[in-house]
């Protein structure tokens, strides 16, 4: 049996080409998997950021509601205090008026 160098060269180049194609195909599959994993990770991070923002916004809103309630209570307390002071002043004015009426003829 004679060895044909052309046939050997062809077979060697064919094997090299096929192995190169296999390596390229495997790297492409690996790259696609990595890209898909990266996209999943980015989607998860985006969802986490949106959820955290929603929680922070709700917390801030609840703080504002609490602050508004406290201000309303303090304003109501201030008005009650002013009303109490006006009532005391009115009573004192009544006493002064009564004193002046009693001592007007003296």
């Amino acid at each position: 049996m004679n060895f044909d160098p052309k046939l050997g060269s062809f077979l060697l180049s064919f094997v090299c080409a096929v192995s190169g194609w296999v390596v390229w195909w495997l790297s492409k599959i690996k790259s696609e998997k990595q890209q898909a994993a990266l996209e999943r990770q980015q989607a998860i991070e985006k969802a986490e950021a949106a959820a955290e923002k929603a929680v922070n916004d709700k917390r801030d809103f609840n703080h504002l509601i609490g602050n508004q309630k406290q201000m309303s209570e303090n304003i109501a307390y201030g008005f009650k205090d002013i009303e109490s002071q006006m009532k005391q002043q009115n009573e004192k004015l009544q006493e002064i008026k009564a004193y002046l009426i009693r001592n007007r003829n003296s």
Side-chain angles (χ1 to χ4, degrees):
M1 177 168 157
N2 276 343
F3 176 73
D4 187 9
K6 291 180 183 180
L7 181 63
S9 173
F10 174 76
L11 287 176
L12 182 62
S13 64
F14 180 75
V15 168
C16 289
V18 168
S19 66
W21 179 79
V22 168
V23 169
W24 174 82
W25 189 255
L26 290 176
S27 69
K28 182 177 179 185
I29 290 172
K30 184 178 178 183
S31 174
E32 288 173 354
K33 286 181 181 179
Q34 288 175 343
Q35 182 65 28
L38 179 63
E39 289 173 0
R40 276 194 304 275
Q41 182 64 30
Q42 289 173 343
I44 290 169
E45 289 173 359
K46 189 175 181 180
E48 286 175 348
E52 185 176 343
K53 183 181 183 316
V55 168
N56 289 339
D57 289 346
K58 186 172 184 174
R59 186 192 68 228
D60 291 345
F61 183 73
N62 288 336
H63 280 293
L64 291 174
I65 289 174
N67 291 344
Q68 185 66 34
K69 286 180 182 177
Q70 286 179 344
M71 286 191 290
S72 296
E73 290 170 359
N74 289 335
I75 290 170
Y77 177 75
F79 279 125
K80 286 180 183 177
D81 188 42
I82 291 171
E83 187 178 328
S84 171
Q85 289 177 5
M86 290 180 71
K87 191 174 184 180
Q88 289 174 357
Q89 288 176 355
N90 191 25
E91 290 172 0
K92 292 201 186 251
L93 286 174
Q94 291 293 333
E95 290 175 12
I96 293 170
K97 184 178 176 182
Y99 176 78
L100 290 174
I101 290 174
R102 273 183 285 174
N103 294 329
R104 180 172 42 159
N105 294 334
S106 304

